[in-house]
Amino acid sequence: MWQRIQTAVSLIYPPRCLGCGDLTETDFGLCGSCWRETPFIGGVVCESCGVPLPGMADGHRIECDDCMAAPRPWREGRSALLYDGKARSLILALKHGDRPELARPAARWLARAGQDLFRDGMLVAPVPLHWSRLLKRRYNQSALLAQHLGKEVGLEVCPDLLLRCRKTPVLDGKTAVERAETLKNAIIAHPRRKTHLYGRDILLVDDVMTSGATLAACARVCLASGASHIFVLTLARVAKDS
């Protein structure tokens, strides 16, 4: 009976591509054309921020110039996609286009990209939104990604581990010093969730990493609250050459 119901549903609502809406073979997938236009990150990457790098792995830690010049306050970081092409369209649809269903397949991409980061007992937490932006969007896209990722890899998720207590302007165009000053005291640990942080590895999840300033602010709050090690995982990474 259940198989008949599924068959009927698939006839009425056939699987469609997440990117363009064309028919596909499976739910929550991309057609061949959109897959080719979606820049998944693979090969050698910076172990701190996940940006792809030329060359081959040599058994030693590899970092990009930016991460060597300004060390990150977290241990390792990865991203699933470059913020370009079809990936940019998908993320904008998730973030501003009222497409929360995109978080489910995106979490699978995150799980694949972050497979080297996961630790036993790790706690997954999203980068928080200010309540005013949450009210406008109706959901925090990073929290949706974190929740689906937790189910995908079997890790505990705390969607309100961190709070954005002050609304901050867009960071585009600001220098590193200006970004840090803008985010100063804007993010705090939830007063009733601090006990979840102490002595644990924390995986911070966000949709896009540009400079990493917001993730750095979140990481510092976690460390100041007693977390052991911080890791970051983002759906996409803005690269200088993208």
Side-chain angles (χ1 to χ4, degrees), residues 124-178:
V124 181
V127 169
L129 273 183
H130 187 261
W131 68 266
S132 61
R133 286 188 177 145
L134 184 60
L135 187 65
K136 182 178 180 180
R137 294 184 192 173
R138 298 186 299 107
Y139 59 85
N140 177 358
Q141 70 280 355
S142 298
L144 290 180
L145 290 170
Q147 288 171 335
H148 284 293
L149 176 65
K151 293 177 183 178
E152 191 74 23
V153 300
L155 291 176
E156 181 184 353
V157 180
C158 187
D160 59 350
L161 184 70
L162 301 174
L163 300 175
R164 192 181 289 255
C165 58
R166 182 166 55 81
K167 187 176 181 179
T168 54
V170 176
L171 299 178
D172 292 349
K174 294 182 180 294
T175 66
V177 173
E178 289 171 338

